[in-house]
Amino acid sequence: MQKAIENFCKKRENGLFLLDMPTGFGKTYNVLEFIAENYDTDKYKKTNFFFVTTLKKNLPFEDLRERFKQKNKEQDFEKKCILIEANAEKVIENIDSLYKSGKIPKRITSKDQFKKLLKNVQTVCTYRNRDSQFKDENIASMIKNIETSIQETGEPGLRSLIIEELSIFKTPTQKLKAIRTDDEYKWIGELYPAVFSRDKQIYFLTIDRSEE
């Protein structure tokens, strides 16, 4: 399989390689081995690698980290690899802790749309942290509606606020510099790590099949 991957990369007909093989045939293992062995070689150091799956649990991000670690290249992993997750999920995962730590400016947290988003996120997190035996279908349905609201209106509304915040900077480069170095804006990078994706070489992400 390693040879098949190598042959494909040599041809580069369209950049898309589909490994349609049954579970247990070593697809993930061989792909990760190829990336870890070749990402910094002369032939591939300017190549971007994308590992795409329909299930988040199938993303072997930590497996690749371990391979880099075994090769004493863990710093390269942090520099070159990124796990791109859905914006709404990153907000649900991180916004409460960022708010409690005081990293998000009051000019953002004082807005009604932020307060509503935060309340919805806290409700979802409280439910998710419950033991399964304390969950019921009615509450699960309510939580699903709240998650949909976060995805469709709450998180996009927050992004609009961020876009407005960053409008004082004229170029994308200036915006990224502010997010990296200015305490007023660093929280944006913590909330949305994908803003740094242009600096990466190896990408892990899922695609949504709900529309199929």
Side-chain angles (χ1 to χ4, degrees):
M1 189 180 298
Q2 283 283 321
K3 191 64 177 177
I5 296 173
E6 183 178 352
N7 289 338
F8 164 79
C9 290
K10 286 180 180 178
K11 292 179 181 179
R12 296 186 180 183
E13 293 177 354
N14 59 17
L16 180 64
F17 187 25
L18 300 177
L19 277 175
D20 188 15
M21 301 174 67
T23 300
F25 271 67
K27 299 187 297 294
T28 299
Y29 174 86
N30 282 282
V31 168
L32 296 186
E33 280 294 302
F34 182 84
I35 293 173
E37 291 292 338
N38 291 281
Y39 77 96
D40 59 348
T41 62
D42 289 340
K43 186 182 296 185
Y44 296 109
K45 63 184 178 182
K46 293 184 179 180
T47 298
N48 290 330
F49 296 88
F50 293 84
F51 191 106
V52 184
T53 180
T54 57
L55 295 174
K56 182 179 177 180
K57 67 179 182 179
N58 289 342
L59 284 173
F61 191 67
E62 295 302 322
D63 292 342
L64 186 62
R65 184 197 299 275
E66 185 59 30
R67 281 172 169 77
F68 272 64
K69 186 176 181 179
Q70 291 171 0
K71 298 176 185 297
N72 295 317
K73 294 182 177 180
E74 197 166 9
Q75 287 186 342
D76 268 5
F77 180 86
E78 298 299 336
K79 180 180 179 181
K80 296 179 177 292
C81 301
I82 186 170
L83 173 61
I84 299 178
E85 301 179 76
N87 287 335
E89 278 301 313
K90 295 305 295 182
V91 167
I92 291 172
E93 179 183 332
N94 294 320
I95 198 169
D96 190 41
S97 60
L98 289 170
Y99 169 74
K100 290 177 178 177
S101 66
K103 293 183 178 181
I104 306 177
K106 287 187 177 180
R107 61 180 179 274
I108 297 291
T109 61
S110 63
K111 294 185 180 294
D112 289 340
Q113 63 193 103
F114 179 90
K115 293 177 181 179
K116 181 179 180 180
L117 172 61
L118 181 65
K119 182 178 179 180
N120 282 341
V121 167
Q122 290 171 338
T123 300
V124 169
C125 290
T126 298
Y127 176 78
R128 289 183 178 182
N129 291 333
R130 285 185 176 183
D131 291 335
S132 59
Q133 61 181 322
F134 296 112
K135 298 179 179 180
D136 62 56
E137 292 184 3
N138 291 331
I139 296 178
S141 178
M142 179 191 73
I143 295 298
K144 183 63 177 178
N145 289 335
I146 294 175
E147 290 173 338
T148 299
S149 176
I150 292 172
Q151 181 180 2
E152 295 181 352
T153 60
E155 186 279 324
L158 177 62
R159 269 188 288 127
S160 295
L161 291 177
I162 292 172
I163 291 171
E164 183 179 346
E165 278 281 296
L166 295 174
S167 64
I168 63 173
F169 302 104
K170 295 182 179 180
T171 68
T173 299
Q174 290 174 337
K175 293 174 183 179
L176 282 174
K177 182 178 179 180
I179 295 171
R180 288 185 186 281
T181 62
D182 192 326
D183 289 339
E184 284 288 302
Y185 302 101
K186 284 182 179 179
W187 64 274
I188 298 173
E190 294 183 52
L191 189 60
Y192 294 111
V195 298
F196 302 123
S197 59
R198 66 167 57 191
D199 299 330
K200 305 299 182 178
Q201 180 188 8
I202 303 165
Y203 304 80
F204 286 77
L205 61 157
T206 59
I207 56 174
D208 187 359
R209 298 184 64 179
S210 60
E211 300 298 326
E212 293 184 1

